[in-house]
Amino acid sequence: MSGGQTDTAREADGLAMQSYSNSSAKLSKRDMFSEGSATMDQDGEVEVEIREELPKSEQPKRCLALRTCCHRTFKPFQTHYNPLPENATLGQRVKYFFMCPPHGKVGGFLVLLFMFGIWLAVLISLTGAEALPGGNLFALLVLFVTCWFGGYLVSLVKNIIPFLPLPPLLGMLLVGGILRNVPQIAISTDIHRAWSSGARNIALGIILLRAGLGLDPSALRKLSFVVVRLAFSPCLMETTADAVAAHLLLGFPWEWGFMLGFVIAAVSPAVVVPCLLSLQEDGYGVDKGIPTLVIAAASVDDVLAITGFGVVLGIAFSQGNLAWTLLKGPLEAVVGVALGTVAGVILWYFPQRTSKNLVLFRSVMLVGFGLMAIFLSTYLKWAGSGPLGCLTLAFVAALKWRKEFKEGEQNPIENVVGVLWMIFQPLLFGLIGSEVEISSIDKNTIGLGLATLGIGLAVRMVVSFLAVFFTPLNLRERMFIPFAWLPKATVQAAIGAKAYEMAISEGKPELENLGKQILTIAVLAILITAPIGSALVTIFGPRLLKKTQNVESPDVVADRESHAIQGQINPVFCAEDESGTADTRATQIEDVSGQEAKFQGHRQDELNGDTTRL
């Protein structure tokens, strides 16, 4: 070998050694942020196995040793590096719940805790003593949070007893009663009556707006006379039976008996709709449209009950001659429909469709008009016109808004109203539960009230069974309708205390006892019929309805999404726990594997570059 060749070989060897040293140096530097191994095979090729690495953009440039130590220290507590195994034990699941970042039910509880602390601090800063223990705002905030949590706990019962899916509102109602009747924690006594009444009226307005937006004229036309029969016949017959029973058993005047009848005659969509949507998703009764029929009729049933209650309430508290007393109730209904129609037409054109914040402005105006109808009618002592005007307003406005969306597409305004219901639902049921003072309830009121309730329910179930005769439904399907027509909750909580509040506000102590009895029977109706009705629908639905192949239409998906948004399930805790889904575990593994592959690609590029330079 000549001298020139020798020098060239030495120079090549030097470059190779330098390249190998640079590569080793890079490998050592990277190993400070990753775990892996590097080996050389018989052909002299370097094989690198990297399990994980921080991306280049996240590689620290200062305090390398400290950051590396912290990374390795906290790594066992992070879900990203410790996905839940496929068949995890109870201990592994519990451990995973408390890993970081917060997630699942633990994360939801922390969100609730932070929300409580933040808003308490804000209220204390603004109002001082009112937001401290013993103050009105503090009591309202505690009632809201505890009722929300109570509703979540009750919803967990279905995980233990699958055939008994108790509605969350039952837990909210019970927590409200506890916060009134347990002396050590009776904070509901600190809530001012004006605030309590105002919150319930707002909740009533939201219920009516949801009902008005949900009334679909095309669906009503398709189901035509069947919806009318199923909505009107059981409601009116139960109201009449309750009025007669209350007059004979409780000694109510006739107008107060009919007022009680309209209060407890309404079916509760908050209980019925979730059960029917669950059956619909499984294909039960879909071929004959039974879930759609019951859901549509439930809205009309509530409208009828609230309208009738408003008319009778106006008659019961009217003053003057008999002719004016009899005329005022129907006149209030006509005025409410007329003003609601005018307000609904206004919302067709205002705000303009070209607005960048169309959904926001429409939502604000819709809710504003609805609440104005509720509160202004009470202020003017025309309480019967407010609820009907609020309902008509939403229905008329939705007639034109619905044309702007494709068939099956969800109106975003319904989602906004659903979020408001999510907020006021715990307050509504918590406040109605806190109005019942067990120590002051007359035992005769409970016994005779239950008898009145039982008579009305018996009449309702018989009439609802007869109302679906001369339809395509067979005998077993007709037997299912009375079970679905049993639960009561939402309307009873919204208007159950209204007569009692009006008797107090107008200074009529002789009527306060009647109002309190109506309130007590309304709460009893919720406590008894909500869980029993939910269980009966869940148990007998699969046994009495025919199952068909489940092909979800856009309407079914939209109904389910709207229902989920509108707060039937607590949104803080309803986010599915990533610890229980294989998809999430696969995503976590894909993320880690992707980072490893990316890092290996970078490492291979560097080695290839070294070889090229060599």
Side-chain angles (χ1 to χ4, degrees):
M1 183 180 293
S2 63
Q5 292 175 341
T6 304
D7 294 338
T8 302
R10 288 178 178 176
E11 184 177 355
D13 292 340
L15 289 173
M17 293 299 294
Q18 183 179 0
S19 177
Y20 180 78
S21 301
N22 292 338
S23 178
S24 300
K26 291 178 181 177
L27 180 62
S28 300
K29 182 178 180 180
R30 289 180 180 276
D31 282 343
M32 296 182 68
F33 311 103
S34 62
E35 296 181 359
S37 60
T39 60
M40 182 176 293
D41 59 12
Q42 296 178 353
D43 298 331
E45 296 181 358
V46 179
E47 295 180 355
V48 182
E49 180 185 356
I50 301 299
R51 288 191 293 272
E52 61 205 61
E53 180 213 8
L54 294 176
K56 284 185 177 182
S57 60
E58 299 181 10
Q59 288 184 3
K61 298 180 180 180
R62 297 180 180 179
C63 304
L64 303 182
L66 178 60
R67 296 189 180 213
T68 304
C69 179
C70 291
H71 172 68
R72 291 177 177 174
T73 301
F74 292 106
K75 174 186 164 184
F77 306 102
Q78 299 182 39
T79 58
H80 183 73
Y81 301 107
N82 301 274
L84 194 65
E86 188 72 26
N87 297 317
T89 63
L90 179 60
Q92 290 174 323
R93 289 182 177 276
V94 172
K95 178 183 176 182
Y96 190 82
F97 285 157
F98 294 96
M99 285 188 176
C100 294
H103 59 282
K105 296 177 176 60
V106 175
F109 177 77
L110 292 176
V111 168
L112 193 61
L113 188 63
F114 280 126
M115 288 172 56
F116 177 79
I118 291 170
W119 283 107
L120 181 61
V122 170
L123 293 175
I124 291 175
S125 303
L126 291 175
T127 63
E130 280 292 309
L132 293 174
N136 176 48
L137 296 178
F138 178 82
L140 276 173
L141 186 59
V142 172
L143 179 75
F144 172 76
V145 174
T146 52
C147 289
W148 197 358
F149 191 67
Y152 167 70
L153 291 180
V154 169
S155 67
L156 293 180
V157 173
K158 66 180 179 181
N159 298 331
I160 303 173
I161 310 175
F163 63 86
L164 188 61
L166 295 178
L169 56 89
L170 192 62
M172 301 172 188
L173 187 70
L174 293 175
V175 170
I178 291 172
L179 293 179
R180 175 59 182 264
N181 294 284
V182 178
Q184 290 75 13
I185 56 173
I187 62 168
S188 63
T189 55
D190 299 327
I191 299 175
H192 298 168
R193 180 161 295 279
W195 284 72
S196 174
S197 175
R200 283 198 296 270
N201 282 326
I202 293 174
L204 174 62
I206 294 171
I207 292 171
L208 292 168
L209 291 176
R210 287 181 62 196
L213 293 173
L215 288 174
D216 188 356
S218 60
L220 295 178
R221 281 194 298 268
K222 289 178 183 178
L223 298 170
S224 64
F225 191 55
V226 181
V227 172
V228 176
R229 282 189 302 178
L230 188 57
F232 278 68
S233 302
C235 180
L236 294 177
M237 293 304 295
E238 182 182 4
T239 299
T240 304
D242 289 333
V244 174
H247 180 72
L248 297 178
L249 299 178
L250 294 168
F252 276 27
W254 283 111
E255 62 272 20
W256 282 84
F258 277 97
M259 195 186 305
L260 172 65
F262 280 117
V263 167
I264 63 178
V267 71
S268 174
V271 181
V272 174
V273 172
C275 299
L276 291 175
L277 288 180
S278 178
L279 293 174
Q280 185 169 266
E281 291 172 9
D282 293 335
Y284 290 105
V286 176
D287 57 338
K288 296 183 181 178
I290 295 175
T292 305
L293 169 66
V294 176
I295 291 173
S299 300
V300 180
D301 178 271
D302 287 352
V303 171
L304 176 62
I306 293 174
T307 303
F309 172 81
V311 171
V312 178
L313 182 69
I315 294 174
F317 284 92
S318 63
Q319 297 177 351
N321 57 38
L322 180 61
W324 172 245
T325 299
L326 297 177
L327 181 63
K328 184 181 178 183
L331 185 61
E332 286 182 352
V334 173
V335 170
V337 172
L339 294 179
T341 303
V342 172
V345 172
I346 290 175
L347 290 179
W348 288 0
Y349 305 101
F350 298 98
Q352 63 275 19
R353 290 186 59 185
T354 56
S355 174
K356 295 182 179 179
N357 300 302
L358 181 62
V359 175
L360 174 63
F361 292 148
R362 278 183 175 177
S363 303
V364 171
M365 292 186 67
L366 176 70
V367 175
F369 270 133
L371 296 183
M372 182 179 71
I374 296 292
F375 286 103
L376 189 60
S377 63
T378 303
Y379 177 77
L380 297 176
K381 299 186 184 304
W382 277 56
S385 61
L388 196 56
C390 182
L391 175 78
T392 308
L393 153 74
F395 176 74
V396 173
L399 287 177
K400 189 173 181 63
W401 292 349
R402 196 173 284 111
K403 298 177 182 178
E404 301 174 6
F405 302 96
K406 299 178 181 178
E407 185 177 357
E409 188 176 355
Q410 186 70 30
N411 186 351
I413 306 297
E414 295 183 27
N415 296 339
V416 174
V417 178
V419 171
L420 292 176
W421 172 244
M422 177 191 73
I423 295 173
F424 281 94
Q425 184 185 21
L427 285 176
L428 173 63
F429 288 98
L431 289 171
I432 196 70
S434 66
E435 287 290 338
V436 178
E437 192 172 357
I438 297 177
S439 60
S440 63
I441 296 178
D442 186 6
K443 295 180 180 179
N444 292 329
T445 300
I446 296 178
L448 297 177
L450 289 176
T452 303
L453 178 63
I455 293 172
L457 288 176
V459 172
R460 181 183 190 87
M461 295 185 74
V462 172
V463 174
S464 59
F465 175 75
L466 298 176
V468 290
F469 268 74
F470 307 105
T471 63
L473 304 185
N474 58 38
L475 180 61
R476 295 171 64 87
E477 292 165 340
R478 292 172 194 163
M479 292 175 62
F480 171 77
I481 297 299
F483 297 135
W485 227 225
L486 182 65
K488 306 174 184 299
T490 313
V491 174
Q492 289 73 24
I495 63 177
K498 204 166 184 62
Y500 179 53
E501 291 173 353
M502 283 195 66
I504 294 176
S505 63
E506 296 194 5
K508 296 182 177 180
E510 68 278 6
L511 299 180
E512 289 183 17
N513 185 47
L514 294 174
K516 185 174 289 188
Q517 290 185 69
I518 290 179
L519 171 61
T520 302
I521 297 173
V523 173
L524 290 175
I526 299 174
L527 290 175
I528 294 172
T529 62
I532 294 177
S534 178
L536 290 176
V537 172
T538 305
I539 293 172
F540 289 103
R543 290 169 171 79
L544 298 177
L545 301 181
K546 180 183 176 181
K547 184 174 184 180
T548 56
Q549 185 177 0
N550 184 24
V551 180
E552 286 193 340
S553 65
D555 293 336
V556 176
V557 177
D559 286 343
R560 186 176 64 251
E561 291 176 352
S562 174
H563 168 69
I565 291 173
Q566 291 175 4
Q568 305 303 330
I569 302 176
N570 197 324
V572 172
F573 298 98
C574 74
E576 187 169 359
D577 190 353
E578 57 266 36
S579 63
T581 61
D583 292 339
T584 309
R585 289 193 295 270
T587 303
Q588 293 172 341
I589 294 172
E590 272 184 3
D591 292 340
V592 176
S593 301
Q595 292 178 359
E596 291 178 358
K598 185 177 179 182
F599 177 64
Q600 289 177 359
H602 289 316
R603 181 64 59 84
Q604 188 64 38
D605 290 341
E606 292 174 359
L607 295 176
N608 292 338
D610 292 341
T611 304
T612 302
R613 288 193 297 272
L614 177 59

